[in-house]
Amino acid sequence: MIKKYWDFDLLGVLASKEEVYQMANTYKNVIINKQNYLQFYIKIISETPESFPRNQQLFTCYSTELEKYGFEENFYENENERILQLENFLSESLLIFKPLRKLKSNHEEIFAVSDIRLIPKLEIYDNSQKFKQIPVFSSMSTKLTRDEFYEFLVQGKYLGDVSGISTEIIDTPSIIVWKENSDFEAFGLFSSHGDYTHKGGLSLISDIGVRYVKLGNLNYNYYCEDSKEDSFIFIDLEAYTKIEEDLEGITPLPYEKKIEKIKLPERILENKMINNDQFDKDLMNEEDVPFKENEFLEHFTTVTHDMGLYYSEKDLLNFHTSVKSNTLTILAGMSGTGKSKIVQAYGKALGLDHTQLVFIPVRPSWTDDTDLLGYVDTKNMLYRPSDTYLIDTLFAAQNDRNKLYIVCFDEMNLSRVEHYFSQFLSILEMEPNRRVLRLYSDRIEQQIYNSGQYTPSINIGSNILFIGTVNIDESTYHFSDKVLDRANVITLEVQPFDLLLNRESNKDGKDKTKKLFTYDHYNKFRKNEADIKLTNEEISFLWQLHEIMQKESLGFGIGPRIVRQIDSYIKNLPENSSLTRKEAFDIQIVQRILTKLRGPEGLLRDLVESETGLVISLILQYEGISDFTKTKEVLIQKSKELKINGFIL
């Protein structure tokens, strides 16, 4: 029999007969087994980790697990009396336990419990309640003061081990609690966490700034083990949501205090859990960033010149802003314009090595995601990754969250993107801690010999940048709306050829290529505020544009996702850059909306006509928000295509 243990805790209760019938199609919640022991079902009432089997709600437990809590089974009583005795014993208790899966030789699965602990039910317990687990920290567990703990959180430092919670990269707790005597304080909202295999334990990252709210003596419905130093609590899901809402309404406090040396938790020092090199990396502050963003852009421009690439400054600004503000950026244009080279230059400017900057040549023969990801060899029970090196890169990025990675799909449209890239298109729009790429089912993990190296799923963190290059010619496929909805499609403008005669190497620039940007460095360039910052006029323009597109065809239009992505791009414009807000808004109309205007003349003539069309009439009404120079150029080009070809590709 093969066993799998999960090293996290769940909260459960004795299942009712009705619940057991609904979930297991059997009429009894307590039975007497062949060994003459009572066996009963526990129902999970807490949320489970992301990778845990979703349909598994019942667990088998045995009366022998309860003996340490004073339960004595009377084997001389009749069956009904013995069952009633157990039901009465558990009627006022909940159970904390670790899940266990047993796989029999006939492949039958049995889900059982281990390390069971009983806790008393609160008087206000309701059988319909669901609970969520929250890690708990205190001065006793961390050897830190409350203020030092806050500094650790803000700087993304390691907080030490927290037993009983899921350590998978996709299971980031959005809230944690600091406990001081009997008072509680909630910190959040966290979007991702560092690799828990790091010897410092748990570290948390907030994309919107660390906030906190005092909870007092926590007058919420919560459960914990009966110990002085709990590492987690289970809190009612409604109460958890209320805390999240309270934190969302609080402005994160700015962190300006500079710390030369922060005391590490003594238990970490004693066990030599963090080496000096890592500790020095953790102490990086704003001054440790290789360049400020404008300095980086100057450096990026210099690197492109050193590589014989000459693009306008605004094109490079557009590329950088698109990459940092969106999950997928596509560089389009005719062959030979240096699309792949500009990605190499970007990686070089960031100081990435060959393991962090990965080019994947797309092949015309790809038909589904197994060509890109790999497959399960059921004959030898091995996971066989494809030869693209993508899977190894994704696992490397998952295991080292502070390294930055770029994955470039070269000639991305040689095959149908929506076929081989289908999983990515679905998950890249999710929150970073929810981007789970599924390689194979959890149910066969124990049977896959190399599952230790290739686990069933990978979390796609925000430390990975995805870029595609495409050629527009007769040998390639055009993108579907599903792809265009998720990407900034950039057409780079080729500069005059006489610039090629004036190539000068910049020694300073070459020296700067040795600077290495970590994910934390790069993330400082990003602005991740959740609030929409578009002006009322910009929103009004987008809505009216959506309406006139919808009137022509229900297949056209602007979804809320596009509006949010345009807003993210505008917010992420580098400060004091040569690319103005008006120009940026114009660029986004071209890259996010006009790319989707394709079809026959009868459908598009009234929309794209370059002099009297509906789109040109609308932009003339909103000249205050942009000159729409590029939009007008694209409309002229599309109008020509209609007249010559009768359709727009």
Side-chain angles (χ1 to χ4, degrees):
M1 180 179 291
I2 301 174
K3 295 183 180 180
K4 173 169 181 172
Y5 296 88
W6 282 280
D7 193 24
F8 52 75
D9 288 296
L10 299 174
L11 185 65
V13 66
L14 176 66
S16 67
K17 293 181 178 67
E18 293 78 10
E19 290 166 338
V20 171
Y21 179 72
Q22 290 174 3
M23 290 184 256
N25 200 28
T26 182
Y27 291 97
K28 294 184 178 181
N29 60 341
V30 184
I31 62 171
I32 296 176
N33 62 24
K34 294 178 181 179
Q35 287 73 39
N36 198 29
Y37 284 103
L38 288 168
Q39 181 177 325
F40 57 95
Y41 284 107
I42 297 174
K43 179 189 72 170
I44 301 175
I45 57 174
S46 61
E47 288 196 349
T48 57
E50 187 68 27
S51 65
F52 194 76
R54 285 289 166 207
N55 60 348
Q56 190 57 46
Q57 294 296 313
L58 291 180
F59 287 79
T60 299
C61 190
Y62 304 92
S63 59
T64 52
E65 297 278 357
L66 304 176
E67 291 175 355
K68 58 186 175 184
Y69 291 99
F71 179 75
E72 295 182 4
E73 190 170 349
N74 189 341
F75 295 96
Y76 299 102
E77 295 283 357
N78 63 46
E79 179 178 336
N80 290 335
E81 285 296 327
R82 291 173 65 185
I83 290 174
L84 183 61
Q85 181 186 19
L86 177 66
E87 289 177 334
N88 289 338
F89 183 83
L90 291 175
S91 63
E92 301 301 322
S93 298
L94 297 181
L95 307 97
I96 297 176
F97 63 92
K98 296 187 187 301
L100 165 66
R101 181 177 66 190
K102 301 175 182 178
L103 187 65
K104 293 184 175 181
S105 56
N106 63 357
H107 299 293
E108 180 187 355
E109 287 184 325
I110 299 174
F111 284 84
V113 304
S114 63
D115 191 21
I116 194 168
R117 289 142 282 164
L118 258 61
I119 55 175
K121 282 182 184 176
L122 297 174
E123 291 183 6
I124 56 175
Y125 173 76
D126 185 327
N127 196 46
S128 65
Q129 283 180 296
K130 290 286 286 185
F131 295 85
K132 197 166 177 80
Q133 191 183 46
I134 304 181
V136 176
F137 297 88
S138 67
S139 56
M140 185 178 296
S141 66
T142 63
K143 308 302 180 187
L144 298 170
T145 65
R146 185 267 181 205
D147 289 342
E148 288 172 331
F149 178 75
Y150 177 66
E151 290 165 359
F152 267 53
L153 276 180
V154 172
Q155 296 180 10
K157 288 180 169 300
Y158 289 91
L159 307 173
D161 293 323
V162 183
S163 61
I165 70 169
S166 170
T167 60
E168 294 183 24
I169 205 69
I170 53 178
D171 294 321
T172 299
S174 63
I175 297 171
I176 63 170
V177 164
W178 175 263
K179 182 180 179 184
E180 195 78 51
N181 298 320
S182 60
D183 288 334
F184 292 83
E185 192 172 2
F187 289 86
L189 296 160
F190 302 105
S191 54
S192 58
H193 66 274
D195 178 18
Y196 202 87
T197 59
H198 185 286
K199 296 181 180 179
L202 180 68
S203 69
L204 293 160
I205 300 166
S206 173
D207 290 338
I208 58 175
V210 177
R211 306 129 188 262
Y212 67 88
V213 61
K214 292 186 179 295
L215 304 176
N217 60 1
L218 199 60
N219 292 320
Y220 291 100
N221 188 0
Y222 79 95
Y223 293 92
C224 62
E225 293 185 63
D226 186 19
S227 64
K228 292 182 180 179
E229 209 49 55
D230 300 311
S231 61
F232 61 84
I233 58 174
F234 288 103
I235 194 166
D236 177 77
L237 191 55
E238 289 185 10
Y240 188 95
T241 303
K242 174 65 167 57
I243 296 173
E244 282 189 319
E245 291 172 352
D246 289 344
L247 287 168
E248 286 175 357
I250 293 173
T251 302
L253 291 180
Y255 180 74
E256 297 178 352
K257 182 178 179 183
K258 292 180 181 177
I259 304 172
E260 292 185 3
K261 222 53 167 171
I262 295 178
K263 172 176 72 172
L264 280 176
E266 290 178 10
R267 61 190 176 86
I268 293 179
L269 288 173
E270 288 172 1
N271 293 305
K272 298 179 181 179
M273 287 187 170
I274 295 182
N275 61 41
N276 290 332
D277 290 340
Q278 182 62 44
F279 183 61
D280 290 340
K281 288 178 184 176
D282 286 343
L283 286 174
M284 281 186 173
N285 55 40
E286 188 86 30
E287 295 177 354
D288 294 316
V289 179
F291 309 117
K292 293 180 181 178
E293 188 167 18
N294 285 331
E295 293 174 346
F296 167 73
L297 288 167
E298 291 177 9
H299 171 49
F300 175 38
T301 303
T302 300
V303 172
T304 61
H305 290 175
D306 288 341
M307 294 178 65
L309 302 171
Y310 289 92
Y311 289 106
S312 72
E313 181 183 353
K314 291 180 180 180
D315 269 348
L316 297 179
L317 277 167
N318 178 26
F319 173 74
H320 168 68
T321 307
S322 297
V323 170
K324 72 168 180 168
S325 64
N326 198 51
T327 52
L328 176 62
T329 301
I330 296 175
L331 294 172
M334 64 181 186
S335 180
T337 54
K339 298 181 294 293
S340 302
K341 282 277 190 178
I342 204 170
V343 180
Q344 292 176 22
Y346 197 64
K348 188 175 181 182
L350 291 168
L352 307 186
D353 62 29
H354 71 281
T355 65
Q356 294 169 267
L357 176 60
V358 178
F359 279 81
I360 298 176
V362 174
R363 299 168 190 169
S365 59
W366 288 359
T367 56
D368 59 40
D369 58 4
T370 59
D371 294 308
L372 180 64
L373 303 176
Y375 65 97
V376 173
D377 177 351
T378 54
K379 180 180 179 180
N380 298 296
M381 295 313 290
L382 290 168
Y383 184 78
R384 299 199 183 276
S386 73
D387 59 2
T388 61
Y389 194 65
L390 176 62
I391 290 298
D392 299 276
T393 302
L394 296 180
F395 274 115
Q398 176 181 271
N399 294 334
D400 193 343
R401 307 294 282 193
N402 201 36
K403 268 190 175 183
L404 193 63
Y405 291 81
I406 294 177
V407 175
C408 180
F409 298 95
D410 205 16
E411 299 197 60
M412 193 176 193
N413 59 337
L414 276 179
S415 188
R416 291 194 179 277
V417 178
E418 59 272 21
H419 290 176
Y420 72 84
F421 206 60
S422 57
Q423 276 205 69
F424 286 91
L425 293 176
S426 298
I427 66 177
L428 287 181
E429 286 303 309
M430 300 178 184
E431 293 297 316
N433 59 323
R434 296 292 181 188
R435 295 177 191 162
V436 180
L437 184 71
R438 182 66 57 182
L439 302 182
Y440 56 89
S441 172
D442 292 303
R443 292 187 174 277
I444 63 170
E445 180 182 2
Q446 293 295 325
Q447 303 168 50
I448 303 299
Y449 293 114
N450 58 347
S451 61
Q453 182 180 3
Y454 299 109
T455 55
S457 59
I458 315 172
N459 176 251
I460 310 299
S462 49
N463 62 327
I464 308 177
L465 310 175
F466 291 98
I467 302 173
T469 70
V470 300
N471 293 326
I472 305 302
D473 58 42
E474 68 281 354
S475 69
T476 58
Y477 293 97
H478 293 278
F479 291 127
S480 66
D481 284 353
K482 186 174 183 180
V483 178
L484 294 174
D485 274 347
R486 290 159 173 78
N488 261 302
V489 181
I490 301 172
T491 302
L492 295 169
E493 295 181 2
V494 178
Q495 295 298 289
F497 296 153
D498 57 7
L499 291 174
L500 298 174
L501 303 175
N502 300 314
R503 293 184 54 182
E504 291 185 8
S505 179
N506 185 312
K507 292 183 179 179
D508 292 337
K510 287 187 176 179
D511 290 340
K512 286 182 177 180
T513 61
K514 297 177 182 177
K515 295 285 187 179
L516 172 64
F517 282 75
T518 65
Y519 168 72
D520 287 339
H521 294 151
Y522 190 81
N523 205 39
K524 291 182 185 296
F525 296 159
R526 289 171 166 158
K527 298 177 181 66
N528 297 311
E529 299 96 333
D531 296 338
I532 298 292
K533 299 296 184 182
L534 292 174
T535 67
N536 291 334
E537 274 198 300
E538 289 165 342
I539 291 289
S540 176
F541 172 82
L542 291 171
W543 176 249
Q544 289 189 50
L545 182 56
H546 167 73
E547 287 188 313
I548 65 174
M549 292 170 68
Q550 283 271 288
K551 285 178 182 178
E552 296 303 307
S553 171
L554 292 177
F556 298 148
I558 305 169
R561 177 196 289 126
I562 299 297
V563 176
R564 286 193 295 268
Q565 290 171 341
I566 292 174
D567 174 70
S568 177
Y569 180 95
I570 298 295
K571 284 188 296 200
N572 277 279
L573 279 176
E575 295 179 5
N576 304 317
S577 71
S578 61
L579 194 62
T580 67
R581 184 187 182 99
K582 289 184 175 183
E583 291 173 317
F585 191 76
D586 181 25
I587 286 170
Q588 284 297 280
I589 299 303
V590 172
Q591 294 179 180
R592 304 312 307 251
I593 299 171
L594 296 190
T595 53
K596 296 172 64 178
L597 290 183
R598 300 168 301 175
E601 183 178 5
L603 196 62
L604 291 168
R605 184 193 309 110
D606 292 341
L607 275 176
V608 305
E609 213 290 322
S610 59
E611 294 181 2
T612 60
L614 295 172
V615 176
I616 196 73
S617 299
L618 180 64
I619 65 178
L620 291 175
Q621 299 173 36
Y622 282 89
E623 289 184 329
I625 61 176
S626 175
D627 294 333
F628 293 105
T629 303
K630 291 187 177 296
T631 300
K632 293 173 184 176
E633 291 174 357
V634 171
L635 288 174
I636 291 171
Q637 181 62 35
K638 287 184 178 290
S639 182
K640 284 182 180 179
E641 283 188 50
L642 277 184
K643 290 175 182 177
I644 296 171
N645 301 324
F647 57 85
I648 298 174
L649 287 175

